[in-house]
Amino acid sequence: MKYFAILAPILVIIAAHFAWAEDAPQKNRLRLETSAYLQMHAGNPIDWYPWGEEALAKAKAENKPIFVSIGYASCHWCHVMEKESFSDPKIAEFLNEHFVCIKVDREERPDVDSVYMLATQIMSNSGGWPLNVFLTPDAKPFIGTTYLPAEDREVPLADGQAIGVQPGFLTLAKRVAVAWSEQPKQLEEVGDNVTRALKQVLGRPLLPPDLAESDSIFRTFDRTLEKEFDPRFGGFEFEEGKDRIPKFPQPSYLTYLLKRNDAGNATAGNMLELTLEKMAHGGIYDQVGGGFHRYSTDRHWKIPHFEKMLYDNAQLLSIYAQASKSLEKPEFAEVARGIADFVLSEMTGPEGQFYSAIDADSDGEEGAYYRYAPEELHEKLSADQLRLAEQAFGMTGEPNFEDEYYVPQFHGAPEAEKLDDLKAALLAIRNQRTRPFLDKKVITSWNGQMIRGLADAGRILEEPRYIEAASQAANHLLKSAADNDGRLRRTSETKENQPPAYVDDYAMLIDGLLALHEATDNQRWIDEAVKLQATQQKHYWDEAFGGYYFTPDDNSNLIVRGKLYTDGALPSGNAVSVSNLKELAKRVPDQANQYSAWAQKTIESSSTLLNDHPNSTARMAAELVEN
């Protein structure tokens, strides 16, 4: 770790207010990319490359370090850094001279993102997006950071009196360039050390320990849940007295609770019910237009970070639909309908495909599309509607967002029959504003999740139109995201020279097809799932220790090929694969033994995490629950 000391002064990261800069007029090679996020940077004066052999070969040939910047289209701070730093001609000139610069869309290239995010966490114990990492010419990371302002800034230190200097991005880049010029061997050694650590975490492990008994794993997980659970507002990972810590829905936790409740665990059911109820009443749920925002900026689920992601809504759709039946809560069925109708209205393409995300910002301001000023409510709502808005959504008294606006939260509807008219009036106000950017990228795994969500909702809520929408999306995906050999692509727009799908894409599409089969009893969906599972087995399976690699065996240019077991915003592909294999064993009797063996070996390959930290792989723990 001594090698990190030469770069210690530039690891200071403090979020800051920002000023917009003008876009540069010229276009770089990102103009040829299909990703909306990469296209957003096509006008930068930086000589950006997409991730690929051309950029990696250039770095080696010229012995230049690599600067790789990773983000996504609906990321607020990614937009800020693009305006502040990447549109600045002075910064661009320096980067172009001293580095090979690569831009990555993390949604299109989660393999690149997962490797360098973990590297940054190893080096600095932090992470996030935009993720900015400096690499040796052979792509080994030696320093990583997230958002930085373009220039140095004076900031108050902890005592509130003294003034310190927060190094800006240009200072970071200059110090890295000097360090590479004067001490390249030390930076290469740092890169080697970090790469070894990455291989220990992501690469082929030693023989995993024996899997503990399921009851022991459940006890370990349940103790963690009791410590993390918020008994007043639901959800997890809160600190008493610190109401401004962000809170995420954590669908993998909720899936575990749902399965434990269905197996008779009342405590799990109580946690699940309180969490789903508080989320549905808060501002994290769009009370006017339906669907969930990414996360809450506070303990109470009141004010969201306003981006809407397909994968959040897909998972929560299935969970609310299932919980409406398991917990006998009709109001959860209405939330599920709100999610489904929102997605079909706002995030669905003409051929039934589902788009990936809706930005948090419009007109350069976060949440501008979703908030309401008191004066516009008085101007545009009738007296009765205004009274109901105050009663139902708390839109009265002191504004709850930025001291100027209301974000609606559900307080109850004494006049429920008039609530739909009020929502229509509020939606009409909203529709006069500039809509946030819709990222029309069609990601195979996320579409698979939404197919699952709609199929579950249609079956449980007896809504055939949801099942029809899921079927249409599956038909489109099987035609557009698969090549002539049956290999999937990450997105239907992916160019031929880019890598094929990741294990998540196979696992989650198979999961969606299995949900469609359960909803329709159509044999076609089982047949398609069997074919995809065979392809996944051929190209991703680890014969030695079980489990599935994230990337295929015939296409990877990363410094490590790894297997991922931990859940994030999405469940791990390995956990979803276990669920798929168990279902295939039930529905394809002549291959049941083989599917069951693969499922058990995948579970056993994750035993290190399951035994000691089951909360990090909650979806896998859920697969141990016997209902």
Side-chain angles (χ1 to χ4, degrees), residues 501-514:
Y502 307 103
V503 72
D504 290 11
D505 297 302
Y506 282 90
M508 293 173 191
L509 180 53
I510 293 168
D511 181 50
L513 297 176
L514 291 172

Side-chain angles (χ1 to χ4, degrees), residues 388-626:
L388 185 57
E390 294 173 351
Q391 293 175 335
F393 295 138
M395 299 167 82
T396 185
E398 290 295 320
N400 59 15
F401 179 54
E402 297 181 342
D403 299 322
E404 296 182 52
Y405 306 100
Y406 295 117
V407 172
Q409 290 137 30
F410 188 67
H411 290 209
E415 300 178 66
E417 69 280 358
K418 296 182 179 180
L419 192 60
D420 288 343
D421 290 339
L422 172 62
K423 290 181 180 180
L426 292 172
L427 199 60
I429 295 173
R430 177 187 291 183
N431 287 340
Q432 296 172 14
R433 304 168 181 164
T434 302
R435 286 179 174 270
F437 173 76
L438 171 63
D439 186 349
K440 293 186 176 181
K441 184 161 59 264
V442 179
I443 298 175
T444 300
S445 57
W446 302 6
N447 271 250
Q449 287 186 312
M450 185 50 73
I451 291 168
R452 155 66 72 178
L454 285 168
D456 283 348
R459 174 177 54 82
I460 295 168
L461 307 181
E462 298 182 352
E463 290 276 9
R465 62 194 178 96
Y466 296 157
I467 298 173
E468 177 56 33
S471 299
Q472 187 176 0
N475 281 321
H476 174 77
L477 219 57
L478 291 170
K479 288 188 296 184
S480 65
D483 63 19
N484 293 333
D485 297 323
R487 300 283 295 273
L488 293 176
R489 294 189 292 273
R490 173 67 173 174
T491 74
S492 55
E493 304 94 346
T494 300
K495 297 188 299 186
E496 290 183 2
N497 63 344
Q498 290 182 339
Y502 307 103
V503 72
D504 290 11
D505 297 302
Y506 282 90
M508 293 173 191
L509 180 53
I510 293 168
D511 181 50
L513 297 176
L514 291 172
L516 265 177
H517 177 257
E518 185 176 5
T520 65
D521 202 30
N522 185 335
Q523 181 63 30
R524 184 209 167 184
W525 304 124
I526 282 290
D527 295 341
E528 296 287 359
V530 167
K531 288 190 288 187
L532 289 174
Q533 186 63 52
T535 303
Q536 178 182 329
Q537 208 67 31
K538 179 178 179 181
H539 293 288
Y540 298 84
W541 180 249
D542 180 0
E543 289 287 353
F545 297 107
Y548 297 92
Y549 286 102
F550 190 70
T551 54
D553 57 357
D554 57 355
N555 198 318
S556 180
N557 51 18
L558 297 176
I559 56 176
V560 58
R561 184 182 182 221
K563 292 187 291 186
L564 303 179
Y565 292 99
T566 57
D567 303 313
L570 289 84
S572 79
N574 272 287
V576 177
S577 294
V578 169
S579 175
N580 294 343
L581 291 166
K582 290 167 67 176
E583 285 301 313
L584 286 169
K586 296 175 185 176
R587 304 184 203 185
V588 188
D590 60 336
Q591 299 183 55
N593 290 340
Q594 182 64 83
Y595 287 138
S596 296
W598 287 334
Q600 184 60 30
K601 198 165 185 181
T602 302
I603 293 171
E604 291 171 355
S605 73
S606 65
S607 60
T608 300
L609 286 176
L610 278 175
N611 291 353
D612 299 326
H613 306 285
N615 57 304
S616 68
T617 183
R619 181 62 184 272
M620 188 72 81
E623 293 307 318
L624 300 178
V625 180
E626 298 294 337

Side-chain angles (χ1 to χ4, degrees), residues 3-13 65-69 99 116-117 119-124 126 131-136 139-146 148 167 169 171-173 175-177 179-180 186-192 194:
Y3 301 106
F4 297 138
I6 61 172
L7 297 174
I10 53 182
L11 287 173
V12 179
I13 305 169
I66 297 167
F67 169 60
V68 58
S69 181
F99 302 95
Y116 293 114
M117 178 61 74
T120 299
Q121 291 167 341
I122 290 171
M123 292 185 286
S124 65
S126 67
L131 180 64
N132 299 297
V133 190
F134 291 89
L135 320 176
T136 64
K140 296 178 179 179
F142 57 83
I143 188 168
T145 184
T146 55
L148 286 175
F169 175 70
T171 295
L172 168 64
R175 290 180 179 176
V176 171
W180 180 257
Q186 289 192 4
L187 296 188
E188 287 174 348
E189 193 161 352
V190 171
D192 289 340
V194 176

Side-chain angles (χ1 to χ4, degrees), residues 96-114:
N96 291 341
E97 180 180 352
H98 295 280
F99 302 95
V100 174
C101 300
I102 299 177
K103 240 319 165 181
V104 175
D105 181 341
R106 68 175 293 260
E107 296 171 351
E108 198 170 74
R109 293 301 306 256
D111 55 337
V112 178
D113 177 61
S114 63

